[in-house]
């Protein structure tokens, strides 16, 4: 790179950083488009709309309620992946959607959940079931639903519909685009629809789609449809097709619902929690930047600028892609920062090794970036695969976490491999070429640490930590305290609505009222929501028995003179349904398999893949034991924490395996495999320590400055970072070596 080009590059980087900073802080236009303040936030950080539906027709079965809640959960994800759906009492379902403030708009767009039927035009006697009411094309139902059910004219119901979506297709004859609604039926619906379309096509009749008291579409049947997939087409806008698809989806519920009430609720965490979290993030990032400059001098300064670019890009892209940011989402961003630091550390550690061999600064930079490329790509792509699978198969919080994680990975790779490279080569081009500016060369003749010699102690320690977790599970269960300290997100709880005589701020509630509730109920994880425009406050706790409810009510009436008639209590279900948990488990299993296959493909050795997955399982079980022993609350952040550890663990392992793979190519004949593995772990030890330290600092500052709910999120994450560093250094290489040598011994035995 020429000096002039280097100057221009640095000016452009400075301009990019300034533009990102201006966009994140100020934004463009009157509404501040692109500004960080416009990022969509979850219920925990901002609040949103709460809608409660009443089930029509008596008390439903538990199976129907569970099925309806799950379908509604998947449906409201069109507004936010962080929307929650849960049961309230015996026959009510509540939906909470973050980031919106107009309940009526949501109700209009979501649709009123009601009954959906597919009705054949004529019955067996040839009588019409519906007819045109006027020349406008409106249809009227000639018979009651009960009569249509008796004579068999209802060919399908909403529960037979698997999915419905608006799509744009190209007409094969005119090549013009047309808006359609694509329908897919389940197995039972496919069979019913095949019979109905066969009869309707033979009679040249239509099948009306009747929803909540009126026809929403009466399409003609142009062919017998046997594959369970159909298209509704006609002259309609995409918006009309989308509304029709949404109505069909909402009508596919097992239960018929009616709106009971809707409110705008405030954030579960107060402004203080948000501001302290932002301050903690800024302080943590500043410490990391200072550390990088101190450890790597000029390259560290270059990476610091790249990290600032990373932060600005993340803030702008969160806004651009309308990703909902919640406390779990912050975990994905923290992991992204850790991986961005990791990539730079890998590069600069390689540069130092090249300098130690006597190469020039320019040659060392070239070799450092080139040799670090495979480890960076493999580590990030492996984690990106996991994020893609989690986003595809997961739901709710898992899907939201996957989005922020994927965004963080892509941006971290871009800043490390492109921005850092441009900056460091620009510095070199303008004349900053002294070797002293690029750090002290790392000695290559240093005796490797004998990690494998201590593997029995490491394996023993890991087994003890895991066993302790299972032992405490048994102890907790025997004492009746629950195997783990599940929060109301996992096992449900009690929702208490209180109307006070005055309007309390969330900070006042957290400071004065919540401690009273904790003393009365024994629950130290109380969730609070304010109903906007009223003095009503919603307190969600673990399930309260009669004595605890009475103590709760007494505390409120004695201390705050609350009218007992203005206190209502209902049991609520978990916001993380069994189906959502199943989705999360399936997603993690599939992601693990995909990562295993990728590592196998890249390293051409199943032992690398197996060792990586075993180390991943080790980290999850150790952190699970931490949750069990410390009784940290297990809620939505638990899922995010575990997924963060999975991504962190696999990335750390890849770096060591990449070095072993590289060293195997140049292995001397008289060198033992154990010596090679020890040397590789030792060479990557700096990377392991520095990356873990910088990520740990980010989370530790969050723990020190955060409120109680943030502390419960940060504490196990810190344990996971320490565990991930330990397993990558002490466990993974030893596992691979054990499998490799055992196979060699078996092969030698078979040969003899």
């Amino acid at each position: 790179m020429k000096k002039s080009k280097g100057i221009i590059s640095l000016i452009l980087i400075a301009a990019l950083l300034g533009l990102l900073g201006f966009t994140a802080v100020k934004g463009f236009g009157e509404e501040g488009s692109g500004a960080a303040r416009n990022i969509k936030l979850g219920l925990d950080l901002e609040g949103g709309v709460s809608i409660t539906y009443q089930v029509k027709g008596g008390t439903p079965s538990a199976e129907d309620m569970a099925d309806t809640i799950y379908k509604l959960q998947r449906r409201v994800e069109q507004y936010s992946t962080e929307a929650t759906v849960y049961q309230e009492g015996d026959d009510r379902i509540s939906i909470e959607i973050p980031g919106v403030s107009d309940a009526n708009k949501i109700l209009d767009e979501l649709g009123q959940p009601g009954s959906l039927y597919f009705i054949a035009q004529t019955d067996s006697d040839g009588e019409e079931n519906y007819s045109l009411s006027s020349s406008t094309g409106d249809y009227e139902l000639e018979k009651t639903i009960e009569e249509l059910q008796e004579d068999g004219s209802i060919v399908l119901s909403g529960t037979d519909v698997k999915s419905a979506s608006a799509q744009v297709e190209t007409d094969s004859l005119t090549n013009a685009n047309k808006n359609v609604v694509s329908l897919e039926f389940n197995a039972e619906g496919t069979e019913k629809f095949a019979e109905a379309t066969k009869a309707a096509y033979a009679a040249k009749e239509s099948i009306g789609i009747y929803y909540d008291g009126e026809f929403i579409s009466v399409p003609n049947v142009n062919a017998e449809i046997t594959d369970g997939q159909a298209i509704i087409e006609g002259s309609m806008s995409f918006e009309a097709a989308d509304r029709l698809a949404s109505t069909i989806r909402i009508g596919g519920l097992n239960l018929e619902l009616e709106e009971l009430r809707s409110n705008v609720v405030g954030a579960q965490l107060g402004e203080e929690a948000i501001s302290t979290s932002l301050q903690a993030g800024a302080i943590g990032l500043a410490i990391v930047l200072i550390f990088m400059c101190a450890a790597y001098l000029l390259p560290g300064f270059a990476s610091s600028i790249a990290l600032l670019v990373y932060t600005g890009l993340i803030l702008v892209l969160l806004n651009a892609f309308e990703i909902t940011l919640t406390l779990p989402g912050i975990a994905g961003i923290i992991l992204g920062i850790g991986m961005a630091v990791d990539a730079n550390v890998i590069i600069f550690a390689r540069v130092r090794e090249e300098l130690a061999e006597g190469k020039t600064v320019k040659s060392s930079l070239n070799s450092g970036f080139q040799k670090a490329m495979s480890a960076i790509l493999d580590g990030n792509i492996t984690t990106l695969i996991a994020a893609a699978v989690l986003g595809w198969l997961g739901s709710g919080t898992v899907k939201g976490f996957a989005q922020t994680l994927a965004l963080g990975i892509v941006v971290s790779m871009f800043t490390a491999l492109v921005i850092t490279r441009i900056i460091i080569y620009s510095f070199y081009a303008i004349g900053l070429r002294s070797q002293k500016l690029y750090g002290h060369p790392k000695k290559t003749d240093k005796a490797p640490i004998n990690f494998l010699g201590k593997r029995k102690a490491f394996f023993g320690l890991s087994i003890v930590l895991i066993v302790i977790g299972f032992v405490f599970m048994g102890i907790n269960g025997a004492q009746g305290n629950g195997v783990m300290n599940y929060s109301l997100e996992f096992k449900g709880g009690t929702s208490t609505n209180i109307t006070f005589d005055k309007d309390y701020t969330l900070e006042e509630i957290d400071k004065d009222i919540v401690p009273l509730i904790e003393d009365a109920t024994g629950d130290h994880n109380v969730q609070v929501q304010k109903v906007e425009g009223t003095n009503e406050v919603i307190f969600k706790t673990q399930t309260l028995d009669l004595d605890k409810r009475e103590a709760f009510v007494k505390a409120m009436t004695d201390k705050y003179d609350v009218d007992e008639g203005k206190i209502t209590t209902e049991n609520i279900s978990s916001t993380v349904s069994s189906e959502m948990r199943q989705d999360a488990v399936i997603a993690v299993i599939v992601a693990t398999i995909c990562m295993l296959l990728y590592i196998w493909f890249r390293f051409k050795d199943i032992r690398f893949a197996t060792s990586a997955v075993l180390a991943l399982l080790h980290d999850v079980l150790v952190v699970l034991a931490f949750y069990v022993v410390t009784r940290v609350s297990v809620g939505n952040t638990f899922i995010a924490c575990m997924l963060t550890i999975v991504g962190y663990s696999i990335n750390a392992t890849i770096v060591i395996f990449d070095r072993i793979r590289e060293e195997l190519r140049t292995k001397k004949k008289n060198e033992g495999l154990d010596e090679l593995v020890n040397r590789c772990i030792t060479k990557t030890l700096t990377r392991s320590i520095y990356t873990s330290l910088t990520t740990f600092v980010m989370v530790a500052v969050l723990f020190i400055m955060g409120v109680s709910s943030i502390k419960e999120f940060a504490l196990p994450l810190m344990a996971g970072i320490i565990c991930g560093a330990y397993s990558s250094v002490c466990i993974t290489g030893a596992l691979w070596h054990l499998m490799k040598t055992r196979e060699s011994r078996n092969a030698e035995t078979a040969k003899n």
Side-chain angles (χ1 to χ4, degrees):
M1 184 183 293
K2 295 181 179 179
K3 184 176 182 179
S4 59
K5 190 175 180 180
I7 294 172
I8 294 172
S9 297
L10 291 175
I11 292 173
L12 290 176
I13 293 293
L16 173 63
L17 191 57
L19 178 63
L20 290 172
F22 175 82
T23 305
V25 175
K26 189 79 174 174
F28 296 93
E30 294 181 359
E31 297 182 358
S33 178
R37 66 179 180 273
N38 293 328
I39 293 174
K40 293 174 66 176
L41 301 176
L43 285 164
D44 52 354
L45 301 178
E46 185 180 41
V49 163
S50 174
I51 303 170
T52 301
Y53 290 110
Q54 176 86 44
V55 177
K56 290 183 179 180
T59 304
S61 67
E63 292 77 13
D64 281 344
M65 283 293 278
D67 182 75
T68 303
I69 287 171
Y70 179 65
K71 288 180 178 177
L72 277 174
Q73 175 68 52
R74 300 307 297 258
R75 202 157 294 163
V76 296
E77 285 176 5
Q78 64 181 295
Y79 303 102
S80 169
T81 57
E82 305 301 330
T84 59
V85 183
Y86 57 90
Q87 183 175 340
E88 184 178 317
D90 295 327
D91 58 355
R92 291 189 292 279
I93 296 175
S94 288
I95 299 173
E96 294 180 348
I97 305 173
V100 294
S101 57
D102 189 344
N104 291 327
K105 181 182 178 183
I106 294 296
L107 286 167
D108 289 341
E109 292 179 357
L110 185 63
Q112 181 68 43
S115 298
L116 182 81
Y117 302 103
F118 289 73
I119 305 172
Q121 189 181 40
T122 59
D123 60 22
S124 57
D125 297 325
E127 297 179 6
E128 289 191 351
N129 293 322
Y130 51 87
S131 62
L132 281 169
S133 62
S134 68
S135 59
T136 61
D138 294 332
Y139 285 79
E140 287 184 346
L141 196 60
E142 297 292 306
K143 294 184 178 183
T144 66
I145 292 295
E146 289 74 17
E147 289 174 331
L148 293 172
Q149 287 174 330
E150 288 178 2
D151 64 33
S153 294
I154 295 180
V155 293
L156 293 95
S157 67
T159 56
D160 295 312
V161 180
K162 184 177 180 180
S163 67
S165 61
Q167 295 181 357
V168 179
E169 290 193 346
T170 302
D171 192 298
S172 58
L173 297 176
T174 64
N175 287 328
N177 290 337
K178 58 181 180 180
N179 302 304
V180 301
V181 175
S182 174
L183 298 178
E184 183 178 357
F185 300 94
N186 57 28
E188 186 177 352
T190 298
E191 186 176 337
K192 292 179 183 177
F193 197 61
E195 295 177 3
T197 53
K198 180 179 181 180
Y201 179 62
K204 304 299 181 183
E205 294 169 350
S206 56
I207 295 178
I209 304 176
Y210 188 77
Y211 171 76
D212 202 29
E214 63 182 22
F215 283 95
I216 56 172
S217 182
V218 186
N220 293 321
V221 179
N222 300 323
E224 178 186 352
I225 301 173
T226 59
D227 61 356
Q229 296 184 348
I231 294 293
I232 300 175
E233 56 186 1
S235 299
M236 55 182 166
S237 65
F238 184 82
E239 289 73 19
D242 193 43
R243 283 196 300 272
L244 177 57
S246 179
T247 302
I248 293 173
R249 289 196 304 269
I250 200 73
L253 301 175
N254 284 15
L255 300 174
E256 191 172 351
L257 309 175
E258 60 182 347
E259 181 198 349
L260 184 64
R261 62 177 178 269
S262 60
N263 299 310
V264 176
V265 294
Q268 295 171 352
L269 301 176
E271 291 182 6
E272 181 183 356
I274 299 172
S275 62
T276 54
S277 297
L278 291 174
Q279 291 172 15
I283 292 171
L285 183 61
I287 293 173
V288 170
L289 298 181
I290 293 170
F291 172 80
M292 291 297 291
C293 291
Y296 292 104
L297 303 180
L298 189 63
F301 180 64
S303 69
S304 297
I305 297 173
L307 278 174
L308 291 175
V309 173
Y310 167 88
T311 305
L313 281 173
I314 285 291
L315 293 175
V316 172
L317 293 176
L318 281 173
N319 205 329
F321 292 120
E322 297 186 341
I323 295 175
T324 303
L325 183 62
T326 64
L327 208 54
I330 293 173
I333 294 176
I334 290 173
L335 179 59
I337 292 175
M339 295 182 77
V341 173
D342 184 32
N344 286 299
V345 169
I346 294 171
I347 293 168
F348 301 148
R350 287 288 198 171
V351 170
R352 281 188 175 182
E353 289 177 14
E354 298 299 313
L355 288 171
E357 293 179 4
K359 294 183 179 180
T360 64
V361 170
K362 185 176 182 180
S363 178
S364 297
L365 289 173
N366 291 336
S367 298
F369 275 97
Q370 183 180 354
K371 290 184 177 181
M373 183 70 71
S374 60
I376 294 171
L377 288 178
D378 285 340
N380 282 274
I381 290 174
T382 305
T383 312
L384 193 60
I385 289 172
V389 174
L390 293 172
W392 172 43
L393 295 177
S395 57
T397 301
V398 175
K399 190 181 289 289
F401 172 84
Q403 290 177 345
T404 53
L405 176 59
L407 180 64
I409 292 168
V410 172
V411 176
S412 72
M413 279 199 294
F414 170 73
T415 53
L417 297 177
V418 178
I419 301 298
T420 301
R421 187 185 185 98
I422 291 174
I423 295 172
I424 199 69
Y425 276 104
S426 297
F427 283 155
Y428 184 84
I430 64 174
L432 300 176
R433 302 180 180 182
S434 172
Q435 182 177 300
K436 295 180 180 179
L437 294 173
Y438 293 85
H440 304 291
K442 187 175 180 181
K443 295 180 180 179
T444 56
D445 57 350
K446 185 179 178 181
I449 301 171
N450 187 15
F451 288 101
L452 294 188
K454 303 177 181 65
R455 66 185 178 196
K456 290 183 179 179
F458 294 141
F459 289 167
L461 176 61
S462 295
I463 291 170
V464 168
L465 291 174
I466 294 169
V467 169
I468 285 175
F470 287 108
V471 169
F472 269 81
M473 284 183 184
I475 295 172
N476 293 336
Q479 292 178 344
N481 297 326
V483 173
M484 299 178 74
N485 183 23
Y486 292 109
S487 69
L488 59 91
E489 288 101 343
F490 270 75
K491 69 176 184 179
T494 299
S495 176
T496 304
N497 289 40
I498 301 177
T499 302
F500 291 93
D501 293 334
K502 59 172 286 189
D503 185 18
Y504 290 97
T505 65
L506 203 53
E507 281 68 29
E508 290 174 329
I509 295 169
D510 288 337
K511 182 180 178 182
D512 301 323
I513 301 177
V514 169
L516 281 177
I517 298 172
E518 291 177 344
D519 291 339
T521 64
D523 182 6
H524 296 279
N525 192 31
V526 178
Q527 293 184 10
V528 182
Q529 285 181 310
K530 283 175 70 3
V531 178
E532 296 294 328
T534 71
N535 296 341
E536 184 180 354
V537 182
I538 304 169
F539 298 95
K540 295 178 182 178
T541 62
Q542 294 179 353
T543 303
L544 305 180
D545 57 26
L546 182 59
D547 291 339
K548 289 182 178 179
R549 289 191 186 194
E550 290 177 350
F552 189 162
V553 171
K554 189 175 187 303
M556 294 299 100
T557 54
D558 290 351
K559 181 70 175 178
Y560 293 97
D561 295 324
V562 177
D563 183 353
E564 195 169 333
K566 294 182 178 179
I567 301 177
T568 59
T569 304
E570 287 285 356
N571 285 335
I572 57 177
S573 70
S574 61
T575 56
V576 182
S577 66
S578 57
E579 289 86 356
M580 289 174 65
R581 290 181 227 180
Q582 183 177 327
D583 287 345
V585 171
I586 292 173
V588 170
I589 291 173
V590 173
T592 302
I593 294 172
C594 290
M595 289 189 291
L596 187 151
L597 293 174
Y598 176 79
I599 297 170
W600 186 7
F601 168 75
R602 284 289 291 153
F603 287 82
K604 305 296 188 292
D605 188 343
I606 189 63
R607 290 176 293 269
F608 281 120
T610 306
S611 302
V613 171
L614 287 175
L616 184 154
L617 180 63
H618 162 275
D619 293 345
V620 168
L621 290 176
V622 171
V623 176
L624 189 67
F626 180 84
Y627 270 99
V628 172
V629 174
T630 60
R631 303 293 289 174
V632 173
S633 179
V634 176
N636 277 336
T637 55
F638 168 78
I639 298 175
C641 180
M642 286 300 185
L643 295 177
T644 303
I645 290 160
V646 167
Y648 193 85
S649 172
I650 203 74
N651 186 64
T653 299
I654 288 293
V655 175
I656 293 177
F657 284 171
D658 179 77
R659 183 60 70 101
I660 293 174
R661 174 179 58 180
E662 178 184 324
E663 296 285 340
L664 281 172
R665 298 182 188 132
T666 57
K667 177 179 174 293
K668 299 175 182 177
K669 290 185 178 181
N670 60 347
E671 183 182 30
L673 191 63
D674 54 347
E675 185 180 346
L676 182 146
V677 173
N678 282 328
R679 187 175 73 251
C680 291
I681 297 174
T682 303
K683 282 186 175 182
T684 57
L685 186 60
T686 300
R687 171 263 158 212
S688 300
I689 294 173
Y690 283 5
T691 303
S692 301
L693 181 62
T694 52
T695 311
F696 184 88
V697 165
M698 292 286 296
V699 183
V701 176
L702 201 61
F703 174 78
I704 294 168
M705 297 183 62
V707 296
S708 58
S709 56
I710 292 176
K711 289 179 185 292
E712 288 207 335
F713 160 70
L715 186 61
L717 202 54
M718 288 192 291
I721 292 168
I722 295 172
C723 182
Y726 161 74
S727 68
S728 65
V729 172
C730 304
I731 301 296
T732 51
L735 281 174
W736 178 82
H737 178 270
L738 183 65
M739 286 186 279
K740 180 76 172 177
T741 53
R742 180 168 294 180
E743 183 185 279
S744 298
R745 285 198 299 268
N746 292 339
E748 189 68 27
T749 302
K751 187 177 180 180
N752 295 333

